[in-house]
Structures are given as C-alpha cells and as structure tokens.
Amino acid sequence: MANHIVTAEPDESLRTWGWVSYILHLIVAVGAVLPGAQASVVLLLIALVIDLVKRPDAAGTWQQSHFSWRIRSVLWAGVLYVLTAWLWLLFVVPGWIAWGLISLWFLYRIVKGMVRMNAGRAMEPADVV
C-alpha cells in the first residue's frame, strides 16, 4: 500500500468573509466622507454581524486580528459620533468638522486593514486598539 501525501488547502472562507466585510466597511466609509454618497447604516451593521459571527472561527489565525480591527473600528467610530453629536445641535460647522475627521479616521483604518490583509499580514498587536 503506497503512502499518499495529501496537502490540505488553507481555509479560504475566512479570507473571503474578511474581504466581504472590508468591502462593506469601505462602502460605508467612503459614503461618510463624500458628500451626497451616503451609504446605508444597514451595510455597516451587516459587516459588523459578519465580524462578530466569524471572529471565533478565526481564533488562533492571523485573520483574527482583522476581525477584531474592524469591530473596534466600528465601535470607536460609533462612540466618537455619539460624543460629538451635541456639536450638531449647537453649531453646524463644528459638528461637520468633527464628523468629517471621524469619517476620515474610519476610512484610514479600513484601508490600512485592507492593505495588510491583501499582503497576508495580521494587524500588529499595537495596531489592534
């Protein structure tokens, strides 16, 4: 009986789900930065649910850091939007500036994550905040 070596292909479904999530986040981030290109909050919630559901499957892999990165990005952006919402009530311009900066920060985090995932690299531990 001959010994056959079978090479197991890595599970690409986590990477695929990661890309789906990043693309949904990117659509929302670009919509938040460009006037008149508003994307639905539903897309962001779908991406967040994907990340929350698939993160346990990625435990122990380099992709786990990407799921955590996206979840934290959404949570921090949400907190910052809520904390600066009062600026819209008092003055329109400071609210617009604050939300514009938050949106740019969110877009930066999504693009940075996409670049690292495309390179097959985990987010650095110091980056996963």
Side-chain angles (χ1 to χ4, degrees):
M1 183 178 242
N3 291 346
H4 296 298
I5 297 174
V6 178
T7 56
E9 292 296 319
D11 183 15
E12 287 294 318
S13 69
L14 285 175
R15 192 175 184 128
T16 301
W17 281 113
W19 277 114
V20 168
S21 179
Y22 268 127
I23 290 169
L24 292 174
H25 279 91
L26 184 65
I27 291 168
V28 172
V30 169
V33 172
L34 296 177
Q38 297 299 318
S40 174
V41 174
V42 173
L43 293 178
L44 186 64
L45 292 176
I46 291 170
L48 184 60
V49 168
I50 289 170
D51 291 336
L52 289 169
V53 169
K54 297 308 268 180
R55 183 172 59 171
D57 296 344
T61 69
W62 63 270
Q63 295 166 350
Q64 179 182 5
S65 65
H66 285 276
F67 286 99
S68 295
W69 177 261
R70 289 187 301 268
I71 291 167
R72 288 185 179 123
S73 296
V74 171
L75 294 178
W76 274 111
V79 167
L80 292 171
Y81 282 132
V82 168
L83 290 176
T84 58
W86 64 274
L87 291 172
W88 284 98
L89 300 174
L90 297 177
F91 308 102
V92 172
V93 174
W96 180 77
I97 291 170
W99 282 26
L101 291 173
I102 296 165
S103 298
L104 285 172
W105 171 82
F106 183 69
L107 178 61
Y108 164 77
R109 283 184 61 98
I110 297 306
V111 170
K112 181 178 180 177
M114 291 176 85
V115 168
R116 290 185 71 91
M117 186 163 164
N118 189 49
R121 295 172 46 205
M123 300 307 298
E124 297 297 325
D127 292 340
V128 185
V129 175

